[in-house]
Amino acid sequence: DAKTTQPPSMDCAEGRAANLPCNHSTISGNEYVYWYRQIHSQGPQYIIHGLKNNETNEMASLIITEDRKSSTLILPHATLRDTAVYYCIVSFSGAGSYQLTFGKGTKLSVIP
Amino acid sequence: DSGVTQTPKHLITATGQRVTLRCSPRSGDLSVYWYQQSLDQGLQFLIQYYNGEERAKGNILERFSAQQFPDLHSELNLSSLELGDSALYFCASSVEASGNSRTGELFFGEGSRLTVL
């Protein structure tokens, strides 16, 4: 799986958009970009994933650059409950195995 | 609620002992994954089972073993415990379906916190 680079921490004001960057310059053509988050010591929670097109769901938007070497997770209106560690993961979802390699992630602090 | 159930939530034991952690996957999920999260190592993939058979192995110690039963629940056995085994152990399950547009989503349980004294 390709390696990802994320800033260790970020702050965001409550109600503002949180933009979390991720670099994955060695991504290969069949690898997806996944985002998970972990609130305190709870189990990681899936947020969104994409291959090359931008994606949006009820939680967030994922913007992937045209060359696929980087992506940005956007939380449109951050709340205090969005304070968590956010993990950007690049993984090939081959048949039968969806194991994910978690890095250190970005600790997002939403400030009131 | 992810639908993945892990027991026990907390466990305190002594070095040299053996413990078993249990995981019930979401209804219909055939795959179970085990992850270990310690303070200094982050989330480490241990092992995956699919429909009762081992599918992938990660950084799992020889003192650790796992299995998945016919009813699809899984157990992680940790033996000859050491202080460094103190960690959160997460179980995750996934849908294994080709052609599923949401491929690769893992659903994690709330974890079992193991403390070895």
Side-chain angles (χ1 to χ4, degrees):
Chain A
D1 293 341
K3 183 178 170 55
T4 63
T5 303
Q6 299 179 253
S9 64
M10 292 180 64
D11 291 340
C12 177
E14 188 178 18
R16 304 297 293 271
N19 296 279
L20 292 92
C22 180
N23 285 318
H24 32 78
S25 59
T26 60
I27 191 170
S28 61
N30 56 7
E31 288 184 307
Y32 287 76
V33 179
Y34 296 89
W35 284 84
Y36 280 74
R37 73 179 183 184
Q38 187 174 24
I39 298 173
H40 194 45
S41 294
Q42 297 178 19
Q45 177 190 23
Y46 166 85
I47 301 173
I48 200 167
H49 79 284
L51 185 61
K52 48 185 167 183
N53 296 323
N54 297 338
E55 302 286 346
T56 296
N57 63 19
E58 64 279 5
M59 288 182 67
S61 294
L62 173 61
I63 308 298
I64 303 174
T65 58
E66 194 169 338
D67 63 8
R68 303 210 322 126
K69 293 185 176 182
S70 66
S71 61
T72 301
L73 177 74
I74 301 172
L75 308 179
H77 305 286
T79 71
L80 298 179
R81 289 178 296 180
D82 292 322
T83 292
V85 177
Y86 287 76
Y87 298 98
C88 169
I89 302 162
V90 169
S91 180
F92 167 61
S93 287
S97 182
Y98 301 144
Q99 60 175 288
L100 301 173
T101 301
F102 288 79
K104 295 190 181 302
T106 296
K107 182 174 172 54
L108 175 69
S109 299
V110 180
I111 312 298
Chain B
D1 182 7
S2 67
V4 177
T5 303
Q6 290 188 247
T7 58
K9 287 187 171 27
H10 301 276
L11 190 56
I12 301 174
T13 188
T15 55
Q17 295 298 304
R18 181 179 189 273
V19 299
T20 297
L21 309 180
R22 181 188 169 102
C23 170
S24 293
R26 293 188 323 152
S27 176
D29 285 358
L30 299 179
S31 259
V32 169
Y33 301 73
W34 287 98
Y35 281 80
Q36 178 193 53
Q37 186 173 36
S38 54
L39 279 175
D40 57 347
Q41 293 291 328
L43 272 158
Q44 300 284 315
F45 167 69
L46 295 178
I47 197 165
Q48 177 205 357
Y49 278 82
Y50 173 75
N51 203 20
E53 294 193 2
E54 183 182 306
R55 177 65 64 93
K57 187 177 279 193
N59 302 318
I60 188 166
L61 300 173
E62 285 192 10
R63 299 183 286 108
F64 296 179
S65 65
Q67 54 183 327
Q68 186 179 27
F69 295 87
D71 66 353
L72 300 178
H73 91 271
S74 177
E75 293 181 357
L76 179 66
N77 301 296
L78 316 174
S79 62
S80 303
L81 285 168
E82 302 175 358
L83 296 178
D85 298 328
S86 295
L88 267 169
Y89 291 85
F90 289 105
C91 168
S93 70
S94 72
V95 173
E96 301 283 343
S98 61
N100 185 340
S101 63
R102 300 194 69 187
T103 57
E105 179 177 349
L106 297 186
F107 296 87
F108 283 81
E110 289 306 306
S112 293
R113 182 177 293 279
L114 173 66
T115 302
V116 182
L117 301 176

